[in-house]
Amino acid sequence: MQYSEKVMDHFMNPRNVGEIEDASGVGTVGNAKCGDIMKVYLKIEDNIVKDAKFKTFGCGAAVATSSMATELIKGKTIQEAMEITNKAVMEALDGLPPIKVHCSCLAEEALHAALWDYAQKNGIVIEGLKEPVNDISEHEEIPEEE
Amino acid sequence: MEYYFDNAATTAARPEVAEAMAHYFTESYGNPSSIYKIAQKNKTAVEKAREQIAKAINAETNEIYFTAGGSEADNWAIKGVAESYANKGKHIITSCIEHHAVLHTCEYLETKGYEVTYLPVDEYGLVSLEDVKKAVREDTILITIMFANNEIGTIEPIAEIGAFAREKGILFHTDAVQAVGHVPIDVKAMNIDMLSMSGHKFYGPKGIGALYMRKGIKITPLIHGGAQERSRRAGTENVPGIIGMGLAAELAVKELDTEMPRLTALRDKLIGSILEKVPYSRLNGHPTKRLPGNVNISFEYIEGESILLLLDYKGICASSGSACTSGSLDPSHVLLAIGLPHEKAHGSVRLTMGHFTTEEQVDYVIQELPPIIERLRMMSPLYEEVLRNNK
């Protein structure tokens, strides 16, 4: 298995790592059991994604897709943000090994989960956005202390 | 600079081993089955290597059969006994932490009408003799338990299981791929009937292994087609490989008295330093009943492949039991068997040392690993939660 240079760049130097204190929407997808959790924070003003941050537990591809997905969504309108698919994330990274494609799906789901959270909080409907199936609450799946 | 900490995956061949082998590729290339002098010389050389291997485990020379590696030896031992002893019974006992060469072979036999008991292990990865005793049935034909585990390094109670199996008249096979050349093995004293080994795990070449089979045990061949290996394993002998493995075994066993304490000290230094420097980390495997060169540690809240990539960036070669490095969704079956929850198994790193590992290299890992763990944790949503709760 070999990662592209772009994937390695986004893994070694991930963009947008962190949290947004007063985020407009937060989405968490995946679970620790499978080895991937992505948490995306969005700051949305005037229908535009002003800022995006992430925290990810996962492999190289999980970190790189989170980094790229947050890069792609910044500056986009909500409608444009809805067009960021897992394929778009993969293409922007010059591809992923076959067994890592699910990481790009998770990245798309993480963006959608954050947008859903924003829509719920503001009582709006975003066309084409479905309730995230993969979203997990803050306290689920957190490993217990020994 | 390369810091090689994956000696359980494979080892570098010793220079003197590679040198001894070279002669058999270009000069002494004769087929040992042929009649002329250069071929007959090779037959003698192969027999000398067989003797070196036999001595390394206190077996007789004619009890050693060369194979293409450890996986073939495991396959042959288990399938061979299953077929040859089918009229006595169809029950096999093994453990759930075996190498896949054993586990998948057993699973294959289950599809052919055999029954397999997969013994559990305790939190350290130890098989209990009591469990072996309880699992034995009238129709048990084989007990196969690994000598030492490839992931967590736990050394199994082989002599105890061997004594019991002998008393019961049940054949006992052990996959000793990780143990030969690393810890003392005496097939006679330990009552081992069959034993698998692999050349490239003890500074010999890849593509060569051996099955020790105690005199009197007869199993059907896996590879048909010639009279080599006393008609039990066909195929022209891998002469360079055999020469290399024989020399490597002799050298490794000769150095056990100095290498074992040296590596054990390095191992315990590495384990102690990492556990002390990195919070939320734990040792996997037994603290003392453990291969001298094996370190396996789980780091909570992060994932193994990410750790490996950052280690690689620093020139450190290691491996992990994470799902992402296995190509499946499940993490290592060994880590799950010792009771680790999935999320802790995903964050495991195995560092295995060997003959060429120096204390300077160990110090380098002790220096480079903790910041890598910290860096990934700062990126982890799970650690965020921990920091918040600790405030």
Side-chain angles (χ1 to χ4, degrees):
Chain A
M1 191 195 71
Q2 184 90 43
Y3 285 134
S4 71
E5 271 179 40
K6 270 241 175 90
V7 172
M8 281 311 290
D9 175 39
H10 276 262
F11 171 71
M12 294 304 296
N13 312 290
R15 281 64 148 177
N16 314 312
V17 175
E19 300 161 50
I20 299 175
E21 286 290 322
D22 54 342
S24 325
V26 183
T28 310
V29 297
N31 65 68
K33 202 179 171 202
C34 296
D36 297 295
I37 296 178
M38 290 183 194
K39 187 171 186 180
V40 167
Y41 300 79
L42 298 178
K43 178 89 186 154
I44 300 170
E45 279 168 18
D46 305 328
N47 201 43
I48 288 171
V49 180
K50 295 278 186 192
D51 197 10
K53 297 266 188 220
F54 79 89
K55 286 234 173 149
T56 288
F57 162 89
C59 62
V63 172
T65 53
S66 309
S67 167
M68 184 54 89
T70 49
E71 276 292 90
L72 290 176
I73 203 171
K74 280 200 292 188
K76 298 276 198 304
T77 66
I78 288 173
Q79 288 69 35
E80 286 167 341
M82 285 299 296
E83 286 163 23
I84 302 169
T85 60
N86 80 300
K87 272 194 180 150
V89 174
M90 272 211 303
E91 275 164 26
L93 286 167
D94 293 340
L96 283 173
I99 61 161
K100 300 292 187 181
V101 171
H102 73 98
C103 291
S104 65
C105 299
L106 208 58
E108 179 189 318
E109 286 169 22
L111 296 183
H112 286 182
L115 287 170
W116 177 265
D117 183 45
Y118 166 72
Q120 290 292 103
K121 280 177 182 161
N122 292 277
I124 58 169
V125 174
I126 298 173
E127 204 185 324
L129 185 64
K130 295 192 189 87
E131 185 174 354
V133 283
N134 230 337
D135 202 358
I136 55 173
S137 82
E138 284 278 305
H139 301 280
E140 249 175 8
E141 302 288 350
I142 303 293
E144 281 167 33
E145 288 303 311
E146 272 178 321
Chain B
M1 180 73 189
E2 206 176 71
Y3 298 84
Y4 188 71
F5 280 77
D6 205 11
N7 282 278
T10 192
T11 59
R14 289 173 191 261
E16 56 266 54
V17 165
E19 203 179 309
M21 289 171 68
H23 170 77
Y24 291 90
F25 284 106
T26 50
E27 288 164 54
S28 203
Y29 49 79
N31 187 327
S33 300
S34 302
I35 195 154
Y36 33 79
K37 285 191 201 74
I38 61 161
Q40 284 306 303
K41 248 171 46 193
N42 282 2
K43 197 179 173 93
T44 311
V46 164
E47 291 317 306
K48 190 195 157 208
R50 200 186 304 280
E51 196 183 329
Q52 288 171 312
I53 299 286
K55 275 188 181 156
I57 58 171
N58 194 28
E60 300 302 320
T61 305
N62 60 9
E63 293 175 323
I64 302 296
Y65 299 87
F66 292 112
T67 64
S71 293
E72 186 193 320
D74 284 339
N75 269 265
W76 183 20
I78 298 167
K79 289 175 188 166
V81 169
E83 197 174 319
S84 301
Y85 292 76
N87 58 359
K88 194 192 157 204
K90 288 195 157 189
H91 179 237
I92 295 168
I93 297 170
T94 187
S95 84
C96 57
I97 62 161
E98 297 294 313
H99 188 273
H100 286 134
V102 168
L103 284 181
H104 289 176
T105 302
C106 287
E107 285 162 18
Y108 165 78
L109 287 173
E110 283 181 293
T111 71
K112 299 284 170 191
Y114 290 82
E115 283 180 74
V116 182
T117 301
Y118 300 91
L119 298 176
V121 292
D122 69 7
E123 58 181 311
Y124 299 114
L126 284 169
V127 171
S128 106
L129 177 61
E130 287 312 305
D131 284 345
V132 177
K133 285 180 178 172
K134 273 185 247 160
V136 164
R137 315 191 316 207
E138 278 292 302
D139 60 342
T140 304
I141 50 172
L142 177 69
I143 298 170
T144 172
I145 302 288
M146 69 201 321
F147 203 106
N149 184 267
N150 49 311
E151 292 187 35
I152 57 175
T154 301
I155 299 173
E156 301 299 340
I158 293 302
E160 285 90 333
I161 299 170
F164 168 73
R166 185 65 54 88
E167 179 197 314
K168 284 276 167 188
I170 300 167
L171 289 178
F172 176 45
H173 166 255
T174 184
D175 171 359
V177 164
Q178 293 290 335
V180 172
H182 299 282
V183 289
I185 298 177
D186 184 329
V187 293
K188 290 195 177 85
M190 294 172 163
N191 290 302
I192 297 167
D193 294 312
M194 289 189 278
L195 175 148
S196 304
M197 68 172 84
S198 171
H200 72 108
K201 306 288 192 187
F202 50 86
Y203 322 106
K206 294 169 185 60
I208 185 76
L211 179 66
Y212 147 79
M213 212 181 324
R214 191 167 59 82
K215 213 173 165 184
I217 297 171
K218 285 215 168 55
I219 61 171
T220 51
L222 191 65
I223 314 277
H224 298 89
Q228 294 89 353
E229 301 298 294
R230 302 168 70 221
S231 294
R232 298 210 188 175
R233 201 279 188 183
T236 298
E237 294 85 346
N238 173 358
V239 179
I242 288 170
I243 301 302
M245 180 165 78
L247 179 59
E250 184 183 308
L251 293 173
V253 170
K254 203 193 300 182
E255 289 171 8
L256 273 183
D257 285 346
T258 50
E259 275 296 86
M260 281 183 49
R262 186 184 77 87
L263 284 171
T264 302
L266 289 182
R267 175 194 78 190
D268 293 343
K269 177 177 183 180
L270 187 52
I271 291 171
S273 305
I274 293 175
L275 293 185
E276 188 197 312
K277 285 185 169 202
V278 183
Y280 309 110
S281 59
R282 59 157 277 169
L283 176 71
N284 296 318
H286 199 279
T288 54
K289 290 173 186 168
R290 185 180 194 96
L291 287 172
N294 177 291
V295 174
N296 189 315
I297 292 178
S298 277
F299 300 99
E300 284 188 61
Y301 316 117
I302 54 176
E303 191 276 333
E305 190 206 83
S306 290
I307 307 172
L308 298 190
L309 290 170
L310 291 177
L311 284 172
D312 183 37
Y313 183 72
K314 293 286 182 183
I316 301 167
C317 311
S319 73
S320 167
S322 139
C324 279
T325 58
S326 73
S328 75
L329 278 180
D330 283 321
S332 140
H333 66 286
V334 177
L335 297 177
L336 295 181
I338 61 171
L340 240 59
H342 277 65
E343 48 272 21
K344 285 183 193 170
H346 284 302
S348 78
V349 172
R350 181 185 73 180
L351 298 156
T352 43
M353 301 171 286
H355 183 64
F356 302 105
T357 311
T358 64
E359 181 151 23
E360 288 70 31
Q361 292 179 330
V362 171
D363 290 339
Y364 178 77
V365 173
I366 292 170
Q367 172 195 308
E368 296 297 334
L369 185 64
I372 286 174
I373 303 304
E374 182 63 15
R375 174 178 167 174
L376 288 170
R377 281 182 176 165
M378 293 319 285
M379 225 190 275
S380 167
L382 299 174
Y383 198 54
E384 183 183 304
E385 196 78 0
V386 174
L387 292 179
R388 197 173 300 144
N389 291 342
N390 284 355
K391 265 181 196 168

